[in-house]
Coordinates of all heavy atoms in Angstrom, one line a residue:
A1 N 113.7 113.0 85.8 CA 114.4 112.2 84.8 C 115.1 113.1 83.8 O 114.8 114.2 83.6 CB 113.2 111.4 84.0
R2 N 116.1 112.4 83.1 CA 116.9 113.3 82.1 C 116.6 112.8 80.7 O 116.9 113.6 79.7 CB 118.4 113.1 82.3 CG 118.8 113.8 83.7 CD 120.2 113.6 84.1 NE 120.3 112.2 84.3 CZ 121.5 111.6 84.7 NH1 122.7 112.3 84.8 NH2 121.6 110.2 84.9
T3 N 116.0 111.6 80.5 CA 115.7 111.1 79.2 C 114.4 110.5 79.1 O 113.7 110.2 80.2 CB 116.8 109.9 78.9 OG1 116.5 108.8 79.6 CG2 118.2 110.5 78.9
R4 N 113.9 110.2 78.0 CA 112.5 109.5 77.8 C 112.5 108.3 78.4 O 111.6 107.9 79.0 CB 112.3 109.5 76.2 CG 112.1 110.8 75.5 CD 112.2 110.7 74.1 NE 111.0 110.3 73.4 CZ 110.1 110.9 73.0 NH1 110.3 112.3 72.9 NH2 109.0 110.4 72.2
L5 N 113.6 107.5 78.2 CA 113.6 106.1 78.7 C 113.6 106.0 80.3 O 112.9 105.3 80.7 CB 114.8 105.3 78.2 CG 115.1 103.9 78.7 CD1 113.9 103.0 78.4 CD2 116.3 103.3 78.2
E6 N 114.3 107.0 80.8 CA 114.3 107.2 82.3 C 113.0 107.5 82.8 O 112.7 107.0 83.9 CB 115.5 108.2 82.7 CG 115.7 108.3 84.3 CD 116.8 109.1 84.8 OE1 117.4 109.9 83.8 OE2 117.0 109.2 85.9
A7 N 112.4 108.5 82.2 CA 111.0 108.8 82.6 C 110.0 107.7 82.6 O 109.2 107.6 83.4 CB 110.6 110.0 81.7
V8 N 110.1 106.9 81.5 CA 109.2 105.8 81.4 C 109.4 104.8 82.5 O 108.5 104.2 83.0 CB 109.3 105.2 79.9 CG1 108.6 103.7 79.9 CG2 108.8 106.1 78.8
N9 N 110.7 104.5 82.7 CA 111.2 103.4 83.7 C 110.8 103.9 85.1 O 110.1 103.1 85.9 CB 112.6 103.3 83.6 CG 113.1 102.4 82.4 OD1 112.2 101.7 81.7 ND2 114.4 102.6 82.0
K10 N 110.9 105.2 85.3 CA 110.5 105.7 86.7 C 108.9 105.6 86.8 O 108.4 105.3 87.9 CB 111.0 107.1 86.8 CG 112.4 107.2 87.2 CD 112.9 108.5 87.6 CE 114.4 108.6 88.1 NZ 114.7 109.9 88.8
A11 N 108.3 106.0 85.9 CA 106.8 105.9 85.8 C 106.3 104.6 86.0 O 105.2 104.3 86.7 CB 106.2 106.6 84.5
I12 N 106.9 103.6 85.4 CA 106.5 102.2 85.5 C 106.7 101.6 86.7 O 106.0 101.0 87.4 CB 107.0 101.3 84.3 CG1 106.6 101.6 83.0 CG2 106.9 99.8 84.6 CD1 107.3 100.9 81.8
A13 N 107.8 102.0 87.2 CA 108.3 101.5 88.6 C 107.4 102.0 89.8 O 107.1 101.4 90.7 CB 109.7 101.9 89.0
G14 N 106.9 103.3 89.5 CA 106.0 103.9 90.4 C 104.6 103.7 90.2 O 103.8 104.1 91.0
G15 N 104.2 102.9 89.2 CA 102.9 102.5 89.0 C 102.2 103.7 88.3 O 100.8 103.6 88.3
I16 N 102.8 104.6 87.7 CA 102.1 105.7 87.1 C 101.5 105.3 85.8 O 100.4 105.9 85.4 CB 103.0 106.9 86.9 CG1 103.5 107.5 88.3 CG2 102.4 108.0 86.2 CD1 104.6 108.5 88.3
I17 N 102.3 104.6 85.0 CA 101.7 103.9 83.8 C 101.9 102.5 83.8 O 102.7 101.9 84.5 CB 102.5 104.7 82.6 CG1 103.9 104.4 82.5 CG2 102.2 106.2 82.4 CD1 104.7 104.8 81.2
T18 N 101.3 101.8 82.8 CA 101.4 100.4 82.7 C 102.4 100.0 81.6 O 102.4 100.7 80.6 CB 100.1 99.7 82.2 OG1 99.1 100.1 83.3 CG2 100.1 98.3 82.0
P19 N 103.3 99.0 81.7 CA 104.2 98.8 80.7 C 103.5 98.5 79.4 O 102.6 97.8 79.3 CB 104.9 97.5 81.2 CG 104.8 97.6 82.8 CD 103.4 98.2 82.9
A20 N 104.1 99.0 78.2 CA 103.5 98.7 76.9 C 103.7 97.3 76.7 O 104.5 96.5 76.9 CB 104.4 99.4 75.9
G21 N 102.5 96.7 76.1 CA 102.5 95.4 75.7 C 102.0 94.4 76.8 O 101.9 93.3 76.5
Q22 N 101.8 94.9 78.0 CA 101.4 94.0 79.1 C 100.0 93.6 79.0 O 99.1 94.3 78.5 CB 101.5 94.8 80.4 CG 101.1 94.1 81.6 CD 101.3 95.0 82.8 OE1 102.2 95.4 83.2 NE2 100.1 95.1 83.6
D23 N 99.7 92.4 79.5 CA 98.4 91.9 79.4 C 97.4 92.7 80.2 O 97.7 93.1 81.4 CB 98.5 90.4 80.1 CG 97.0 89.8 80.1 OD1 96.1 90.3 79.4 OD2 96.9 88.7 80.9
L24 N 96.4 93.1 79.6 CA 95.4 94.1 80.3 C 94.2 93.4 80.8 O 93.1 94.1 81.1 CB 95.1 95.2 79.4 CG 96.4 96.1 79.0 CD1 95.9 97.2 78.0 CD2 96.9 96.8 80.3
Y25 N 94.2 92.2 80.9 CA 92.8 91.5 81.2 C 93.0 90.9 82.6 O 93.9 90.2 82.9 CB 92.5 90.3 80.2 CG 92.5 90.8 78.8 CD1 93.6 90.6 77.9 CD2 91.4 91.4 78.4 CE1 93.5 91.0 76.7 CE2 91.3 91.8 76.9 CZ 92.4 91.6 76.2 OH 92.4 92.1 74.9
W26 N 92.0 91.3 83.4 CA 92.0 90.6 84.7 C 90.6 91.0 85.2 O 90.0 92.1 85.4 CB 93.0 91.4 85.7 CG 93.0 90.7 87.1 CD1 93.7 89.5 87.3 CD2 92.3 91.0 88.3 NE1 93.7 89.2 88.6 CE2 92.8 90.0 89.2 CE3 91.5 92.1 88.7 CZ2 92.4 90.1 90.6 CZ3 91.1 92.1 90.0 CH2 91.5 91.0 90.9
N27 N 90.0 89.8 85.7 CA 88.5 89.8 86.2 C 88.5 89.7 87.7 O 88.8 88.5 88.2 CB 87.7 88.8 85.6 CG 87.6 89.0 84.1 OD1 87.6 90.2 83.7 ND2 87.4 88.0 83.3
P28 N 88.2 90.7 88.4 CA 88.3 90.5 90.0 C 87.1 89.7 90.3 O 86.1 89.5 89.8 CB 88.1 91.9 90.4 CG 87.3 92.6 89.4 CD 87.9 92.0 88.1

């Protein structure tokens, strides 16, 4: 990545981090 935004987008697309503000509740 060349920018902060690009790094974040690549990390989210690859499942490395969770998108900010996403619902974090799930009960298996």
Side-chain angles (χ1 to χ4, degrees):
R2 292 172 294 178
T3 67
R4 297 161 76 95
L5 180 59
E6 186 179 5
V8 169
N9 286 339
K10 285 192 172 186
I12 291 173
I16 298 175
I17 62 172
T18 301
Q22 177 181 307
D23 179 17
L24 294 178
Y25 304 97
W26 191 80
N27 296 332

